[in-house]
Amino acid sequence: MIKKVTILGSDDATTCQIVILRHTASGAVCMGHFDGCGVEEGAFNMCCRLQELSSSHVDGSYELHIVGGFSDQRNISEQLAQTLLYTFHKQQILINLVTFCICELNDIPRGTIHWPIICGVGINVKTGEIFPAAFPDRGPDMALRGARHFTGTHQMLDIYDCADSLLKIGPFTYDPMRGVDLWLSQSDDFIRQHLSTSPAVEPLHFAGNVRASLKHIQQHPYPDVTIFPDNQSRLYRKDENGVWVRIR
Protein backbone atom coordinates (compact mmCIF):
# COMPACT_ATOMS: atom_id res chain seq x y z
CA MET A 1 0.00 0.00 0.00
CA ILE A 2 1.40 3.39 -1.01
CA LYS A 3 1.27 5.98 1.74
CA LYS A 4 0.44 9.45 0.45
CA VAL A 5 2.20 12.57 1.64
CA THR A 6 -0.12 14.57 3.88
CA ILE A 7 2.30 17.18 5.25
CA LEU A 8 4.69 19.33 3.25
CA GLY A 9 7.30 21.23 5.19
CA SER A 10 10.72 22.78 5.43
CA ASP A 11 12.83 24.13 8.27
CA ASP A 12 16.26 25.50 9.23
CA ALA A 13 15.36 28.81 7.56
CA THR A 14 17.40 31.59 9.16
CA THR A 15 18.02 34.15 6.40
CA CYS A 16 16.22 31.83 3.96
CA GLN A 17 12.46 32.04 3.41
CA ILE A 18 9.92 29.28 2.90
CA VAL A 19 7.26 29.89 0.27
CA ILE A 20 3.92 28.08 0.04
CA LEU A 21 1.63 28.57 -2.95
CA ARG A 22 -1.81 26.94 -2.80
CA HIS A 23 -4.86 26.88 -5.06
CA THR A 24 -8.01 27.11 -2.96
CA ALA A 25 -10.24 25.09 -5.28
CA SER A 26 -7.98 22.21 -6.30
CA GLY A 27 -6.10 22.11 -2.98
CA ALA A 28 -2.84 21.71 -4.91
CA VAL A 29 0.21 22.97 -3.01
CA CYS A 30 3.75 23.90 -3.99
CA MET A 31 6.48 24.66 -1.47
CA GLY A 32 9.94 26.13 -2.00
CA HIS A 33 12.87 26.88 0.29
CA PHE A 34 14.49 30.03 -1.12
CA ASP A 35 18.03 31.08 -0.20
CA GLY A 36 18.44 33.80 -2.83
CA CYS A 37 19.67 31.61 -5.69
CA GLY A 38 17.43 30.78 -8.61
CA VAL A 39 14.55 32.84 -7.22
CA GLU A 40 12.96 33.87 -10.53
CA GLU A 41 13.12 30.41 -12.07
CA GLY A 42 11.95 28.75 -8.86
CA ALA A 43 8.95 31.04 -8.45
CA PHE A 44 8.02 30.74 -12.13
CA ASN A 45 8.17 26.94 -11.98
CA MET A 46 6.02 26.86 -8.83
CA CYS A 47 3.35 28.97 -10.53
CA CYS A 48 3.43 26.89 -13.72
CA ARG A 49 3.20 23.62 -11.85
CA LEU A 50 0.30 24.82 -9.72
CA GLN A 51 -1.54 26.00 -12.81
CA GLU A 52 -1.12 22.55 -14.36
CA LEU A 53 -2.43 20.82 -11.26
CA SER A 54 -5.41 23.20 -11.02
CA SER A 55 -6.29 23.48 -14.73
CA SER A 56 -9.63 21.66 -14.34
CA HIS A 57 -10.85 24.12 -11.68
CA VAL A 58 -12.39 27.34 -13.01
CA ASP A 59 -12.99 28.73 -9.53
CA GLY A 60 -10.58 29.29 -6.70
CA SER A 61 -7.61 31.58 -6.14
CA TYR A 62 -3.88 31.35 -5.63
CA GLU A 63 -2.76 32.02 -2.07
CA LEU A 64 0.83 32.87 -1.18
CA HIS A 65 2.49 32.38 2.20
CA ILE A 66 6.06 33.53 2.93
CA VAL A 67 7.71 32.65 6.24
CA GLY A 68 11.27 33.07 7.49
CA GLY A 69 14.15 35.48 7.74
CA PHE A 70 14.87 37.92 10.54
CA SER A 71 16.66 41.21 11.21
CA ASP A 72 20.10 39.91 10.34
CA GLN A 73 23.06 42.27 10.35
CA ARG A 74 23.76 41.91 6.62
CA ASN A 75 20.11 42.49 5.60
CA ILE A 76 20.13 39.25 3.61
CA SER A 77 16.60 38.40 4.77
CA GLU A 78 15.21 41.79 3.72
CA GLN A 79 16.83 41.67 0.29
CA LEU A 80 15.44 38.16 -0.31
CA ALA A 81 11.96 39.19 0.84
CA GLN A 82 11.92 42.12 -1.59
CA THR A 83 13.05 39.86 -4.43
CA LEU A 84 10.38 37.28 -3.63
CA LEU A 85 7.60 39.88 -3.48
CA TYR A 86 8.64 41.43 -6.79
CA THR A 87 9.04 38.05 -8.46
CA PHE A 88 5.61 36.71 -7.48
CA HIS A 89 4.00 40.08 -8.20
CA LYS A 90 5.06 39.94 -11.85
CA GLN A 91 3.73 36.41 -12.51
CA GLN A 92 0.95 36.01 -15.06
CA ILE A 93 -1.54 34.70 -12.49
CA LEU A 94 -3.29 36.76 -9.80
CA ILE A 95 -1.76 35.82 -6.44
CA ASN A 96 -3.17 36.80 -3.05
CA LEU A 97 -0.54 37.33 -0.34
CA VAL A 98 -2.07 35.74 2.77
CA THR A 99 0.87 35.19 5.15
CA PHE A 100 3.96 37.39 5.36
CA CYS A 101 5.88 36.39 8.50
CA ILE A 102 9.37 37.58 7.61
CA CYS A 103 12.30 39.79 8.68
CA GLU A 104 11.42 42.10 11.59
CA LEU A 105 7.98 40.47 11.86
CA ASN A 106 9.77 37.19 12.60
CA ASP A 107 12.52 38.57 14.82
CA ILE A 108 13.25 38.41 18.53
CA PRO A 109 16.32 39.92 20.27
CA ARG A 110 18.11 37.72 22.77
CA GLY A 111 20.70 39.88 24.45
CA THR A 112 22.66 41.50 21.64
CA ILE A 113 21.74 38.91 19.02
CA HIS A 114 18.65 38.90 16.83
CA TRP A 115 17.03 35.49 16.26
CA PRO A 116 14.29 34.26 13.92
CA ILE A 117 11.14 33.24 15.79
CA ILE A 118 9.92 30.70 13.23
CA CYS A 119 12.51 28.71 11.28
CA GLY A 120 10.24 26.03 9.87
CA VAL A 121 6.71 25.67 8.58
CA GLY A 122 4.43 22.86 7.49
CA ILE A 123 1.15 22.63 5.62
CA ASN A 124 -1.52 19.96 5.73
CA VAL A 125 -2.15 19.33 2.03
CA LYS A 126 -5.71 18.12 2.72
CA THR A 127 -6.91 21.03 4.84
CA GLY A 128 -4.52 23.83 3.89
CA GLU A 129 -3.67 24.44 7.56
CA ILE A 130 -0.25 26.09 8.00
CA PHE A 131 1.73 25.75 11.23
CA PRO A 132 5.23 26.26 12.67
CA ALA A 133 7.22 23.04 12.37
CA ALA A 134 10.56 21.31 12.81
CA PHE A 135 11.48 18.06 11.12
CA PRO A 136 13.86 15.54 12.71
CA ASP A 137 13.62 13.48 9.49
CA ARG A 138 14.27 15.46 6.32
CA GLY A 139 14.02 12.56 3.92
CA PRO A 140 16.60 10.48 2.05
CA ASP A 141 19.87 11.56 0.44
CA MET A 142 20.28 14.70 2.53
CA ALA A 143 24.06 14.74 2.11
CA LEU A 144 23.67 14.42 -1.67
CA ARG A 145 20.98 17.11 -1.81
CA GLY A 146 23.06 19.41 0.39
CA ALA A 147 26.17 18.90 -1.73
CA ARG A 148 24.67 21.04 -4.49
CA HIS A 149 24.76 24.12 -2.23
CA PHE A 150 28.55 24.08 -1.88
CA THR A 151 29.45 23.48 -5.51
CA GLY A 152 28.01 26.52 -7.28
CA THR A 153 24.66 25.00 -8.28
CA HIS A 154 21.90 27.64 -8.25
CA GLN A 155 18.94 25.86 -9.82
CA MET A 156 16.04 24.87 -7.56
CA LEU A 157 14.82 21.29 -8.00
CA ASP A 158 11.30 19.88 -8.05
CA ILE A 159 11.81 16.66 -6.10
CA TYR A 160 8.28 15.30 -5.52
CA ASP A 161 6.04 13.67 -8.11
CA CYS A 162 2.54 13.86 -6.65
CA ALA A 163 0.99 11.80 -9.46
CA ASP A 164 3.07 8.71 -8.63
CA SER A 165 3.83 9.59 -4.99
CA LEU A 166 7.56 9.50 -5.68
CA LEU A 167 10.46 11.45 -4.25
CA LYS A 168 12.91 12.02 -7.10
CA ILE A 169 16.53 12.96 -6.45
CA GLY A 170 18.52 14.03 -9.52
CA PRO A 171 20.01 13.35 -11.86
CA PHE A 172 22.38 16.29 -11.54
CA THR A 173 26.07 16.95 -11.45
CA TYR A 174 28.45 19.47 -9.92
CA ASP A 175 32.08 20.44 -10.28
CA PRO A 176 34.67 18.91 -7.94
CA MET A 177 35.21 21.14 -4.90
CA ARG A 178 38.73 22.41 -4.38
CA GLY A 179 40.00 22.25 -0.81
CA VAL A 180 37.29 19.93 0.49
CA ASP A 181 39.86 18.04 2.62
CA LEU A 182 40.88 21.33 4.23
CA TRP A 183 37.26 22.26 4.97
CA LEU A 184 36.67 18.89 6.61
CA SER A 185 39.65 19.42 8.91
CA GLN A 186 38.22 22.65 10.35
CA SER A 187 36.30 23.05 13.60
CA ASP A 188 32.50 23.28 13.78
CA ASP A 189 32.78 26.94 14.73
CA PHE A 190 34.96 27.67 11.69
CA ILE A 191 32.41 25.96 9.43
CA ARG A 192 29.56 28.01 10.93
CA GLN A 193 31.48 31.27 10.60
CA HIS A 194 32.46 30.74 6.97
CA LEU A 195 29.68 28.63 5.43
CA SER A 196 26.61 30.21 7.01
CA THR A 197 24.84 33.50 6.30
CA SER A 198 23.86 33.67 9.99
CA PRO A 199 26.45 31.79 12.07
CA ALA A 200 25.23 33.04 15.45
CA VAL A 201 21.74 31.56 15.09
CA GLU A 202 22.30 28.31 13.21
CA PRO A 203 20.85 25.13 14.80
CA LEU A 204 23.23 22.75 16.56
CA HIS A 205 23.11 20.24 13.69
CA PHE A 206 24.24 22.78 11.07
CA ALA A 207 27.96 21.93 11.13
CA GLY A 208 27.23 18.18 11.17
CA ASN A 209 25.00 18.48 8.11
CA VAL A 210 27.62 20.55 6.29
CA ARG A 211 30.30 17.98 7.11
CA ALA A 212 28.10 15.18 5.75
CA SER A 213 27.65 17.06 2.46
CA LEU A 214 31.36 17.91 2.22
CA LYS A 215 32.22 14.25 2.88
CA HIS A 216 29.83 13.27 0.10
CA ILE A 217 31.53 15.71 -2.29
CA GLN A 218 34.90 14.27 -1.28
CA GLN A 219 33.75 10.70 -1.95
CA HIS A 220 31.75 11.52 -5.08
CA PRO A 221 33.45 14.39 -6.95
CA TYR A 222 31.70 13.30 -10.15
CA PRO A 223 28.11 12.35 -9.20
CA ASP A 224 27.11 11.80 -12.82
CA VAL A 225 29.54 8.85 -12.79
CA THR A 226 29.14 7.38 -9.29
CA ILE A 227 25.60 8.40 -8.22
CA PHE A 228 23.70 8.75 -11.50
CA PRO A 229 25.66 6.51 -13.90
CA ASP A 230 22.65 5.90 -16.15
CA ASN A 231 21.43 9.51 -15.90
CA GLN A 232 18.41 8.31 -13.93
CA SER A 233 16.80 9.71 -10.78
CA ARG A 234 17.07 8.00 -7.43
CA LEU A 235 13.44 7.17 -6.66
CA TYR A 236 11.84 6.77 -3.23
CA ARG A 237 8.29 5.88 -2.19
CA LYS A 238 6.72 5.79 1.28
CA ASP A 239 5.80 2.34 2.56
CA GLU A 240 2.80 1.54 4.76
CA ASN A 241 4.73 2.79 7.81
CA GLY A 242 5.54 6.14 6.21
CA VAL A 243 9.21 5.31 5.67
CA TRP A 244 10.91 6.36 2.43
CA VAL A 245 12.08 3.24 0.60
CA ARG A 246 14.33 3.41 -2.41
CA ILE A 247 12.80 1.67 -5.44
CA ARG A 248 15.48 2.63 -8.00
Side-chain angles (χ1 to χ4, degrees), residues 9-18 33 67-70 101 106 110 115-122 131-135 138 198 201-203:
S10 188
D11 62 359
D12 286 0
T14 54
T15 56
C16 298
Q17 279 146 51
I18 301 165
H33 189 119
V67 179
F70 67 111
C101 181
N106 188 46
R110 296 176 183 171
W115 289 73
I117 299 171
I118 298 175
C119 296
V121 64
F131 50 89
F135 299 93
R138 296 174 177 84
S198 52
V201 300
E202 289 291 358

Side-chain angles (χ1 to χ4, degrees), residues 21 30 34 38-52 87-88 91 155-158:
L21 189 63
C30 289
F34 287 81
V39 173
E40 291 209 10
E41 182 183 8
F44 176 77
N45 289 340
M46 286 179 69
C47 292
C48 290
R49 186 69 178 121
L50 204 60
Q51 285 181 279
E52 293 173 5
T87 301
F88 279 100
Q91 299 302 314
Q155 181 185 23
M156 295 181 68
L157 298 180
D158 180 0

Side-chain angles (χ1 to χ4, degrees), residues 7-14 18 33 119-121 133-146 149 159-160 167-169 202-210 213 236 238 242-244:
I7 300 292
L8 285 180
S10 188
D11 62 359
D12 286 0
T14 54
I18 301 165
H33 189 119
C119 296
V121 64
F135 299 93
D137 180 6
R138 296 174 177 84
D141 285 337
M142 274 302 298
L144 170 61
R145 289 151 59 190
H149 298 297
I159 65 171
Y160 186 66
L167 189 68
K168 294 184 175 183
I169 309 300
E202 289 291 358
L204 294 176
H205 56 256
F206 174 82
N209 288 351
V210 171
S213 291
Y236 295 86
K238 279 184 174 288
V243 177
W244 289 108

Side-chain angles (χ1 to χ4, degrees), residues 6-237:
T6 56
I7 300 292
L8 285 180
S10 188
D11 62 359
D12 286 0
T14 54
T15 56
C16 298
Q17 279 146 51
I18 301 165
V19 173
I20 299 172
L21 189 63
R22 182 176 184 269
H23 192 268
T24 58
S26 69
V29 178
C30 289
M31 172 177 281
H33 189 119
F34 287 81
D35 64 0
C37 296
V39 173
E40 291 209 10
E41 182 183 8
F44 176 77
N45 289 340
M46 286 179 69
C47 292
C48 290
R49 186 69 178 121
L50 204 60
Q51 285 181 279
E52 293 173 5
L53 295 171
S54 308
S55 59
S56 61
H57 296 265
V58 295
D59 298 323
S61 60
Y62 295 92
E63 293 186 342
L64 178 65
H65 309 265
I66 305 177
V67 179
F70 67 111
S71 298
D72 63 282
Q73 291 183 337
R74 297 164 59 190
N75 291 324
I76 296 173
S77 302
E78 183 177 340
Q79 293 171 21
L80 176 56
Q82 292 174 354
T83 301
L84 283 170
L85 283 177
Y86 174 73
T87 301
F88 279 100
H89 174 69
K90 68 178 184 179
Q91 299 302 314
Q92 296 300 309
I93 57 176
L94 179 63
I95 298 174
N96 297 318
L97 180 61
V98 177
T99 305
F100 196 53
C101 181
I102 57 95
C103 300
E104 65 182 38
L105 302 175
N106 188 46
D107 181 89
I108 183 170
R110 296 176 183 171
T112 59
I113 299 175
H114 286 259
W115 289 73
I117 299 171
I118 298 175
C119 296
V121 64
I123 179 169
N124 186 314
V125 297
K126 293 183 177 179
T127 65
E129 176 193 6
I130 295 175
F131 50 89
F135 299 93
D137 180 6
R138 296 174 177 84
D141 285 337
M142 274 302 298
L144 170 61
R145 289 151 59 190
R148 297 177 69 253
H149 298 297
F150 302 106
T151 52
T153 304
H154 295 160
Q155 181 185 23
M156 295 181 68
L157 298 180
D158 180 0
I159 65 171
Y160 186 66
D161 181 346
C162 61
D164 295 324
S165 300
L166 292 174
L167 189 68
K168 294 184 175 183
I169 309 300
F172 56 79
T173 190
Y174 47 73
D175 294 328
M177 183 176 178
R178 296 177 60 184
V180 65
D181 296 343
L182 182 60
W183 279 110
L184 284 168
S185 69
Q186 303 303 315
S187 67
D188 287 357
D189 182 64
F190 187 92
I191 287 175
R192 277 193 299 270
Q193 291 297 327
H194 293 85
L195 293 180
S196 168
T197 57
S198 52
V201 300
E202 289 291 358
L204 294 176
H205 56 256
F206 174 82
N209 288 351
V210 171
R211 286 187 187 279
S213 291
L214 293 177
K215 188 70 174 178
H216 183 91
I217 294 169
Q218 182 188 53
Q219 295 174 342
H220 301 279
Y222 301 99
D224 52 336
V225 176
T226 57
I227 305 297
F228 309 108
D230 300 318
N231 201 35
Q232 290 187 331
S233 302
R234 291 163 68 95
L235 301 181
Y236 295 86
R237 177 176 281 141

